Amino acid sequence: NMNLYSGDVHVHSGYSDGSSTPVGMAFAAMYCGMDFVVLTDHNTVDGAQVASRLFRDCGFEFPVVVGEEVTMSWAHLNAYPLREVIPANLPPYATIRAAHAQGAVIQWNHPGGYDRDWYLAHGDQAMRDTGLDAWEHPMPQYNQWKKEGRLPTLVGSTDTHGATYGESERTLILAPSPAAEDVAEAVRRKAVLLVNCTDRQVFLGTDDMIARAVAALADGPAQMERRAARIKAALAKADIPALLRRSPAAVVKPAD
């Protein structure tokens, strides 16, 4: 009962510093051929909850996973799926515990990007003893860590702030469905793969997951048929006019 599903685990809407509505981000993810999208605005779950609820109420069978980029001075961490916001003023391990208390997984976003001290303390330890569930983006030590058997769970994302995803990275999961809980469980089981479309080393993760992805590529026509069936199922009961009428406009922030 397990299948491969593709999605993006780090995107933003106008509810933080993105340029599109939450519903617009979900539509764009569908257009790009994804099976799920994790909406992760900075320090809020409001936009993600709006899109998730509207897609469900309007008959769409497409998972919009409620997430949050918990944005702090010491690190940026994505938690998903969430029922409520995680405060951004908690100490490191309390933040991680708060995510796990909601049954969520929590990933280290763009390690080394905005977290010099945290990266110096943990960047060479492959997340050991941090309690984090996944590492976002490829790392220079990938081949060494994999050879040594200490590769962390890797996820791919675009971190897009507009309604364009490009083809840079995706997260591939092996799960019974692309629903929010199954996405999180796949991360916990390491049944995920970072798809890195900008490098010759396209698939990053365990050998088992890489073999499954290669086999899927070799079975291209069958994959296309399954993709078409999933699109039809997602839209079979969808009320698109109702969704567009009920979707709130983009949030306009006051000038500084």
Side-chain angles (χ1 to χ4, degrees):
N1 255 354
M2 307 290 266
N3 290 291
L4 293 172
Y5 300 99
S6 174
D8 195 332
V9 295
H10 186 175
V11 311
H12 296 274
S13 79
Y15 275 68
S16 61
D17 55 348
S19 61
S20 179
T21 66
V23 166
M25 295 305 297
F27 269 141
M30 294 183 71
Y31 176 79
C32 290
M34 297 188 210
D35 298 299
F36 65 90
V37 65
V38 185
L39 192 52
T40 54
D41 283 317
H42 295 280
N43 299 333
T44 179
V45 295
D46 292 352
Q49 288 178 335
V50 165
S52 180
R53 182 180 67 254
L54 286 177
F55 261 59
R56 182 179 62 250
D57 292 350
C58 294
F60 284 77
E61 293 294 329
F62 180 82
V64 181
V65 182
V66 176
E68 173 193 357
E69 183 168 19
V70 192
T71 307
M72 302 145 294
S73 60
W74 54 271
H76 294 187
L77 308 176
N78 268 9
Y80 53 90
L82 292 175
R83 297 182 300 276
E84 57 188 36
V85 71
I86 297 174
N89 58 356
L90 299 176
Y93 295 104
T95 302
I96 296 166
R97 287 194 298 269
H100 289 161
Q102 295 191 47
V105 293
I106 186 164
Q107 72 189 40
W108 188 355
N109 288 351
H110 34 67
Y114 303 93
D115 46 19
R116 181 179 180 275
D117 292 340
W118 180 257
Y119 188 80
L120 288 174
H122 302 285
D124 287 332
Q125 303 304 314
M127 299 195 316
R128 187 180 62 195
D129 299 328
T130 64
L132 293 168
D133 299 295
W135 175 300
E136 180 189 61
H137 301 323
M139 74 282 285
Q141 311 96 320
Y142 172 79
N143 291 316
Q144 175 190 343
W145 285 0
K146 186 168 183 178
K147 183 178 180 180
E148 295 171 351
R150 59 192 188 104
L151 191 68
T153 300
L154 296 177
V155 292
S157 78
T158 61
D159 191 8
T160 181
H161 288 66
T164 54
Y165 287 88
E167 298 296 339
S168 55
E169 292 181 16
R170 296 287 190 270
T171 295
L172 199 68
I173 67 169
L174 180 68
S177 84
E181 293 76 13
D182 287 334
V183 173
E185 182 59 22
V187 173
R188 279 189 286 266
R189 291 187 294 105
K190 293 182 178 289
V192 296
L193 202 62
L194 191 163
V195 183
N196 181 20
C197 300
T198 60
D199 192 86
R200 292 180 62 187
Q201 198 166 13
V202 176
F203 298 130
L204 304 178
T206 67
D207 289 339
D208 176 67
M209 283 296 295
I210 291 174
R212 290 177 184 273
V214 171
L217 286 178
D219 191 22
Q223 290 294 331
M224 292 178 68
E225 289 179 7
R226 283 192 281 270
R227 153 63 35 194
R230 288 203 287 266
I231 293 173
K232 290 179 181 178
L235 298 175
K237 299 179 181 178
D239 188 343
I240 296 176
L243 179 68
L244 295 177
R245 284 195 304 269
R246 294 173 58 183
S247 175
V251 176
V252 179
K253 305 177 189 64
D256 294 334

